[in-house]
Amino acid sequence: MKLVGSYTSPYVRKISIVMLEKGITFEFVNDMPYEAQNKVTQYNPLGKVPALVTDDGEVWFDSPIIVQYLELLDIAPALLPREPLASLKIRQIEALADGIMDAGLVSVREQARPPAQQSETELLRQREKITRSLDALEKYVADGTLNANELNIATIAVACAMSYLNFRRVSPGWCVDRPNLVKLVETLFQRESFARTEPPAA
């Protein structure tokens, strides 16, 4: 298989970790979607990463879709419950973590604009999204919905989102008053799959 993406994308990292945990051999094609000469659109008309090219040449894109495809291969460990409603609940937490990544990415792009063109209203909106979502995740860990000892796509996505906030220095005080969330991600960061996919120093 071939995974098309960039080393700094948290969505791509999520898929890399899933494949490493499952022991799936893949070729990583580093392609930055925002560079002029990128070839991402050959795989995804939206020009977004990740994209997964199977051994048969079939292409899957959008990280939740790729996760679903990889789960359908029935390769251990299973990262989604078999029971549909339980699986849906895990997918909703994955969506929440992905939303934190989305808000972080919007913040990074906004802050990359010339200072006079930046919108403080937009930055505040994204910060509020992140804060509310982090508070929700803290509760999920506190009540046992999320557990560092139960690796699944939700815990993987959450750890990737927190790593992205650290990497891009978005919401630098996110760990304050969220001890359960901090403990969760610190435990996950110790896994080999996370160590191998850590983004390069900015």
Side-chain angles (χ1 to χ4, degrees), residues 119-193:
S119 170
E120 186 55 41
T121 300
E122 183 61 31
L123 289 169
L124 177 61
R125 181 168 176 264
Q126 301 308 320
R127 284 197 296 269
E128 289 175 341
K129 283 184 185 180
I130 293 171
T131 298
R132 290 193 303 268
S133 300
L134 291 172
D135 289 342
L137 291 176
E138 174 69 12
K139 291 178 182 177
Y140 281 133
V141 184
D143 68 16
T145 302
L146 290 175
N147 187 322
N149 296 319
E150 296 177 9
L151 187 73
N152 57 43
I153 193 56
T155 52
I156 290 173
V158 168
C160 286
M162 299 305 97
S163 177
Y164 184 71
L165 294 183
N166 291 340
F167 176 63
R168 292 302 189 191
R169 299 176 178 85
V170 177
S171 191
W174 71 263
C175 56
V176 177
D177 296 327
R178 298 188 182 97
N180 296 294
L181 185 56
V182 170
K183 185 176 180 180
L184 174 83
V185 299
E186 285 183 344
T187 299
L188 289 166
F189 288 164
Q190 294 173 18
R191 298 184 70 90
E192 182 183 358
S193 59

Side-chain angles (χ1 to χ4, degrees), residues 24-188:
I24 299 173
T25 300
F26 65 97
E27 174 191 354
F28 189 90
V29 179
N30 187 34
D31 201 348
M32 302 289 287
Y34 300 109
E35 291 185 355
Q37 303 302 317
N38 82 82
K39 299 179 180 178
V40 175
T41 53
Q42 294 179 10
Y43 306 101
N44 180 355
L46 296 171
K48 298 168 65 177
V49 293
L52 181 71
V53 184
T54 71
D55 293 338
D56 295 329
E58 189 167 21
V59 179
W60 299 95
F61 54 82
D62 195 56
S63 68
I65 298 296
I66 297 174
V67 167
Q68 190 68 38
Y69 169 76
L70 294 172
E71 284 297 286
L72 289 173
L73 298 178
D74 201 24
I75 299 172
L79 299 175
L80 284 169
R82 295 283 187 181
E83 199 278 314
L85 186 57
S87 177
L88 191 61
K89 289 179 179 179
I90 293 297
R91 297 314 297 262
Q92 180 164 264
I93 299 175
E94 178 196 11
L96 184 62
D98 284 356
I100 292 173
M101 299 178 203
D102 293 343
L105 183 58
V106 171
S107 299
V108 169
R109 289 181 185 169
E110 187 66 29
Q111 291 174 322
R113 291 156 58 90
Q117 297 178 21
Q118 292 180 21
S119 170
E120 186 55 41
T121 300
E122 183 61 31
L123 289 169
L124 177 61
R125 181 168 176 264
Q126 301 308 320
R127 284 197 296 269
E128 289 175 341
K129 283 184 185 180
I130 293 171
T131 298
R132 290 193 303 268
S133 300
L134 291 172
D135 289 342
L137 291 176
E138 174 69 12
K139 291 178 182 177
Y140 281 133
V141 184
D143 68 16
T145 302
L146 290 175
N147 187 322
N149 296 319
E150 296 177 9
L151 187 73
N152 57 43
I153 193 56
T155 52
I156 290 173
V158 168
C160 286
M162 299 305 97
S163 177
Y164 184 71
L165 294 183
N166 291 340
F167 176 63
R168 292 302 189 191
R169 299 176 178 85
V170 177
S171 191
W174 71 263
C175 56
V176 177
D177 296 327
R178 298 188 182 97
N180 296 294
L181 185 56
V182 170
K183 185 176 180 180
L184 174 83
V185 299
E186 285 183 344
T187 299
L188 289 166

